[in-house]
Amino acid sequence: MEKISSPKPVPHAVDTDFEVRSLDTMCINESQQVHPWWYNFKYLLVGLLFGIVFVKAEIISWFRIQEMFRLQSFHMYGVIGSAVVVGIASVWLIKRFRVKTIYGEPIEFHPKKFNKGQVWGGLLFGLGWAMTGACPGPLFAQIASGFTVVVVVLLSAIAGTWVYGYFRERLPH
């Protein structure tokens, strides 16, 4: 009679998060610099200025967002289109002149493969945006402007992000 051997042991503690991240462009340009805790206050200042611009440009207005989704006004399409043009020009300039970060680190752009998950994600994002009248960018400006009901939208966005992160490895990317 033949002796049956046990299967080979599977190595433990495989860093699957790193393996999954290596398949896409997450964390490619992450800075290696280490700074003190107060160093990030500059981002708070920029965020405050960004929020003020959102309020003044009526980008946080639920009515403006509804006008956009009902195709009744060009206002939001003009804002979004301007942002797209500025983004395209910025990326072109960064690539053309090999711009580096303020710390001298190179900025690298890596191609992303298109997949149907991006379409489904975009549709889900747009549906949520149309239903709530808020996308993630202006949520804090809406709350700071007194629209406290938007806290529910913020908590839902955080929960959705957590759910995606939890199931990320099992989703078709």
Side-chain angles (χ1 to χ4, degrees), residues 27-110:
C27 300
I28 297 291
N29 287 325
E30 190 171 352
S31 177
Q32 302 302 316
Q33 302 287 327
V34 177
H35 303 286
W37 66 270
W38 50 265
Y39 190 79
N40 292 327
F41 279 121
K42 64 183 175 191
Y43 301 114
L44 177 65
L45 179 63
V46 170
L48 288 171
L49 293 174
F50 202 54
I52 291 168
V53 168
F54 275 9
V55 171
K56 294 296 182 185
E58 296 182 3
I59 293 170
I60 68 164
S61 168
W62 183 87
F63 298 104
R64 286 288 190 186
I65 293 168
Q66 290 302 308
E67 284 178 340
M68 175 184 68
F69 281 108
R70 293 179 180 156
L71 304 174
Q72 295 173 336
S73 174
F74 181 75
H75 180 83
M76 292 297 288
Y77 292 111
V79 170
I80 293 168
S82 300
V84 169
V85 169
V86 168
I88 290 170
S90 299
V91 169
W92 180 81
L93 288 169
I94 289 170
K95 288 180 175 181
R96 174 77 171 93
F97 296 106
R98 295 187 181 131
V99 176
K100 296 183 179 198
T101 68
I102 59 174
Y103 303 110
E105 298 170 323
I107 299 172
E108 300 176 29
F109 292 93
H110 300 275

Side-chain angles (χ1 to χ4, degrees), residues 122-136:
L123 288 171
L124 186 62
F125 179 86
L127 179 64
W129 192 10
M131 286 175 27
T132 62
C135 73

Side-chain angles (χ1 to χ4, degrees), residues 5-23:
S5 62
S6 62
K8 290 183 181 179
V10 178
H12 298 292
V14 176
D15 190 3
T16 57
D17 185 46
F18 176 74
E19 291 172 12
V20 169
R21 286 181 181 206
S22 69
L23 299 175

